[in-house]
Amino acid sequence: MAKRVGLVGVTGYTGMELTRILLDHPGLQLTQVTSRKEAGQPLRKIYPFLQGTELGDLQITAPDSSYLAENCDLVFLAVPHGTAMEMAAELREKGARVVDLSADFRLRDREVYESWYGVTHTREALLPEAVYGLPELYAEKIAGASLVANPGCYPTSAILALYPALQAGLVSAEDLVIDSKSGTTGAGRKAAVGTLFCEVSDTFRAYNLTKHRHTPEIEQELGLAAGRDIRLSFNTHLLPINRGILTTAYAKLSPGAGPEEIRACYERFYAGKKWVRLLPAGTLPETRWVRGTNFCDIGLVTDPRTDRLIALSAIDNLCRGASGQAVANANLMLGLAEDAGLPRAALMP
């Protein structure tokens, strides 16, 4: 029997992507969708691609924690940071499992969260309960969790690119540089001048240099890999595409570390991991190869002239970087196969 799931915040891009994935999921049934603004409308009204489907007739309601907890085995929260923490707490108190797609439970240190996000964390007591939802690192903990903090899109690509080498000591934890580029959907669906078509088409620009809010999340997880606190340079850019993230990470090689040892390390680390593809030597990731899928493609280059590892990764920011990863986490939490219902074929032109 399919597990009943709810979605709070159905009208954003992550809500849209969750709806797309759950439409044909064999083990999860979307039974509740909420939006304060669109309450009372059938889902097909805001997403015409659902015309003629069972989900298209699902009525959007205003969010009600008690009703959601009573009628859902698990609830996805696709709402902004600051809003999610209270609803997550209410749902947990009423016995519902939660996958939170906001940043409210990703950072283990409340003070770090408050300094980067500029809001007071009112549910600090839940931070030890929350499991960081990166299945390659924490699948067993996710399976037993009641609250999962779904990772950010940029951190997913950056952490997966560097984690094996840092954990194995094949690169230095000093002077790490991560350069990431994202499609425009990463900015969300809310109208803003900076993401208008004419502002992003036929151009390419950097933004939030030295102060992107995903920085501490990357430092937290890569610090755990390295076994020490780290400080890195994380730089973000906006691509004139809808979907995708391409991350290029630079790390100084440890003495004696070469391309064969690096590749063997990544092959061991990601062996059996369903959603990471280590590309053949000489092949570098492209966003089009992962578009609409839950895959993270990784390419490795060692540069003997500068003595650096250059690790590249590509993900779809909406799927692997948000909604697809949320479904993978829900699958694990509800006793389903991690890859159940998740898209594997890229959305090619």
Side-chain angles (χ1 to χ4, degrees):
M1 183 177 178
K3 301 291 187 179
R4 304 165 302 163
V5 297
L7 169 55
V8 178
V10 69
T11 58
Y13 284 132
T14 54
M16 181 189 298
E17 185 75 349
L18 269 165
T19 303
R20 179 181 77 90
I21 295 169
L22 293 172
L23 177 61
D24 295 314
H25 197 291
L28 301 180
Q29 182 182 1
L30 185 59
T31 60
Q32 304 293 326
V33 292
T34 81
S35 167
R36 297 187 190 280
K37 184 179 178 180
E38 304 294 343
Q41 302 279 355
L43 201 49
R44 66 177 181 276
K45 187 76 173 181
I46 60 168
Y47 296 143
F49 69 87
L50 293 175
Q51 293 282 350
T53 71
E54 185 176 345
L55 279 188
D57 294 328
L58 191 60
Q59 294 292 307
I60 302 171
T61 62
D64 181 315
S65 297
S66 296
Y67 189 80
L68 285 163
E70 183 179 346
N71 290 279
C72 300
D73 298 297
L74 179 144
V75 178
F76 297 101
L77 297 182
V79 294
H81 71 271
T83 301
M85 65 180 80
E86 288 300 324
M87 182 159 283
E90 292 170 5
L91 289 165
R92 287 297 307 115
E93 289 166 2
K94 299 176 189 305
R97 296 181 178 91
V98 175
V99 177
D100 176 23
L101 283 83
S102 85
D104 283 351
F105 296 99
R106 295 173 188 163
L107 297 173
R108 294 173 172 85
D109 188 315
R110 174 187 59 80
E111 292 182 357
V112 173
Y113 170 86
E114 292 179 350
S115 67
W116 282 85
Y117 285 87
V119 297
T120 300
H121 203 298
T122 58
R123 295 292 183 164
E124 183 180 5
L126 279 178
L127 291 176
E129 176 184 330
V131 175
Y132 191 70
L134 200 54
E136 287 77 12
L137 306 184
Y138 303 115
E140 290 186 10
K141 290 184 178 180
I142 294 167
S146 296
L147 172 60
V148 166
N150 211 60
C153 52
Y154 281 131
T156 295
S157 66
I159 293 164
L160 292 176
L162 281 178
Y163 200 100
L166 278 168
Q167 186 188 62
L170 296 176
V171 297
S172 171
E174 300 286 346
D175 197 26
L176 295 173
V177 177
I178 299 172
D179 178 283
S180 292
K181 304 164 181 69
S182 175
T184 313
T185 50
R189 202 178 181 201
K190 186 177 180 180
V193 171
T195 53
L196 294 173
F197 176 80
C198 290
E199 301 296 322
V200 298
S201 178
D202 196 30
T203 190
F204 178 45
R205 67 175 185 266
Y207 71 100
N208 279 355
L209 297 186
T210 76
K211 57 184 180 182
H212 197 285
R213 287 171 169 172
H214 284 170
T215 303
E217 190 178 335
I218 299 170
E219 290 179 340
Q220 171 182 278
E221 295 303 316
L222 291 184
L224 291 170
R228 48 159 289 187
D229 291 340
I230 62 173
R231 182 165 295 182
L232 51 81
S233 178
F234 175 53
N235 308 302
T236 53
H237 305 75
L238 190 63
L239 289 169
I241 61 175
N242 292 339
R243 291 171 173 260
I245 286 178
L246 182 68
T247 287
T248 307
Y250 304 87
K252 203 73 174 175
L253 290 168
S254 298
E260 294 82 8
E261 190 176 6
I262 293 283
R263 174 161 286 275
C265 167
Y266 277 72
E267 288 175 346
R268 287 193 301 271
F269 191 88
Y270 288 122
K273 303 295 192 295
K274 296 177 182 294
W275 295 113
V276 173
R277 299 187 297 199
L278 183 61
L279 301 181
T283 302
L284 301 179
E286 296 187 26
T287 58
R288 61 176 175 159
W289 297 343
V290 296
R291 187 165 51 217
T293 79
N294 207 47
F295 285 115
C296 174
D297 284 357
I298 294 177
L300 302 171
V301 176
T302 52
D303 182 358
R305 190 177 70 85
T306 61
D307 208 26
R308 287 187 182 275
L309 167 66
I310 306 171
L312 302 98
S313 65
I315 66 169
D316 182 315
N317 59 295
L318 288 182
C319 194
R320 180 59 205 252
S323 303
Q325 189 146 257
V327 171
N329 286 321
N331 286 340
L332 290 169
M333 294 167 76
L334 294 172
L336 304 173
E338 180 188 328
D339 57 349
L342 286 164
R344 303 178 66 88
L347 301 174
M348 299 300 286

